[in-house]
Amino acid sequence: QSVLTQPPSVSAAPGQKVTISCSGSSSNIGNNYVSWYQQLPGTAPKLLIYDNNWRPSGIPDRFSGSKSGTSATLGITGLQTGDEADYYCGSWDSSLSAGVFGGGTKLTVL
Amino acid sequence: EVQLVESGGGLVQPGGSLRLSCAASGFTFTTYWMSWVRQVPGKGLEWVANINKDGSEKFYVDSVKGRFTISRDNAKNALYLQMNTLRAEDTAVYSCARAPGGGIRFDPWGQGTLVTVSS
């Protein structure tokens, strides 16, 4: 059981928009930054969003992050088949003094 | 180019030990926190440990406390994970990651090294 809760899967058509939710608590998302990662099949995870809503250089603005209370959301617009991947949210948990991840969400672009 | 290359994985019996290494290049190693994250093949990510820039602060997931030790050698641009009293549930791909500012921001990640704990 992951500390952060994500839907196991989401799907949408090419060109459409999708959102992936990440739910936590006051000890993690509520009082700490959230990061989002994309893991394409057979590759290492890649940082998409950090500090709730900042994109590293090279990440297209089709990817966005937001946070409200103890939940965070990753948004992806203009879906491409190349976006099919597993997406993970992560945060620091101040009560555990540990990093925590969501269980991951598999995105299918139909 | 920033590179992280792990080594040291392999097959080990339950109760055994293994030391993982991560060779860092392409950035000023001494100015970054570093982390280990593991992933059971086909499953999700699990944060394992963080270490600060000079090695004076270390954090661990509860399941490895007292068994794993994270360390670094800034002179060699190297990160280590000493794993003792290994259990079957420690079987996973272990990846090192650069952690700007500590916390859960990891960028980039290495490709990982597989640790299999089995008799």
Side-chain angles (χ1 to χ4, degrees):
Chain A
Q1 234 76 323
S2 300
V3 174
L4 305 181
T5 301
Q6 297 181 235
S9 63
V10 296
S11 62
Q16 297 300 303
K17 173 183 178 178
V18 71
T19 60
I20 298 173
S21 61
C22 176
S23 177
S25 68
S26 59
S27 64
N28 41 67
I29 292 177
N31 284 285
N32 292 288
Y33 289 125
V34 176
S35 294
W36 288 92
Y37 298 90
Q38 176 193 60
Q39 187 174 32
L40 298 168
T43 70
K46 176 181 173 182
L47 180 66
L48 285 181
I49 298 290
Y50 68 95
D51 292 357
N52 304 331
N53 55 12
W54 291 87
R55 287 186 309 277
S57 60
I59 301 299
D61 59 7
R62 300 189 299 108
F63 296 91
S64 64
S66 63
K67 187 180 96 168
S68 178
T70 59
S71 293
T73 301
L74 174 70
I76 311 173
T77 60
L79 277 171
Q80 304 171 1
T81 55
D83 295 331
E84 285 201 336
D86 293 322
Y87 292 83
Y88 295 90
C89 60
S91 185
W92 187 256
D93 191 295
S94 302
S95 296
L96 298 173
S97 290
V100 291
F101 285 104
T105 299
K106 183 175 183 62
L107 169 64
T108 301
V109 181
L110 302 166
Chain B
E1 179 195 5
V2 175
Q3 270 201 314
L4 298 169
V5 180
E6 302 90 341
S7 61
L11 175 64
V12 61
Q13 292 189 338
S17 298
L18 214 53
R19 188 198 197 204
L20 304 184
S21 299
C22 171
S25 60
F27 65 100
T28 305
F29 187 68
T30 54
T31 63
Y32 288 90
W33 284 66
M34 296 294 295
S35 299
W36 287 98
V37 181
R38 66 185 178 184
Q39 184 173 32
V40 174
K43 302 296 184 182
L45 302 173
E46 181 180 36
W47 172 85
V48 174
N50 272 8
I51 187 169
N52 71 341
K53 301 171 190 179
D54 65 5
S56 61
E57 289 184 67
K58 305 174 185 181
F59 299 90
Y60 300 92
V61 66
D62 279 350
S63 61
V64 309
K65 283 179 182 175
R67 301 188 299 123
F68 290 12
T69 301
I70 188 172
S71 63
R72 64 192 296 163
D73 185 335
N74 285 344
K76 295 182 178 179
N77 288 352
L79 175 72
Y80 305 103
L81 186 67
Q82 177 66 44
M83 305 185 295
N84 298 331
T85 320
L86 282 160
R87 306 167 180 166
E89 53 265 36
D90 295 318
T91 294
V93 173
Y94 286 73
S95 299
C96 64
R98 189 176 67 171
I104 200 77
R105 174 185 170 186
F106 303 133
D107 183 33
W109 301 54
Q111 284 300 315
T113 186
L114 176 63
V115 172
T116 303
V117 184
S118 174
S119 54

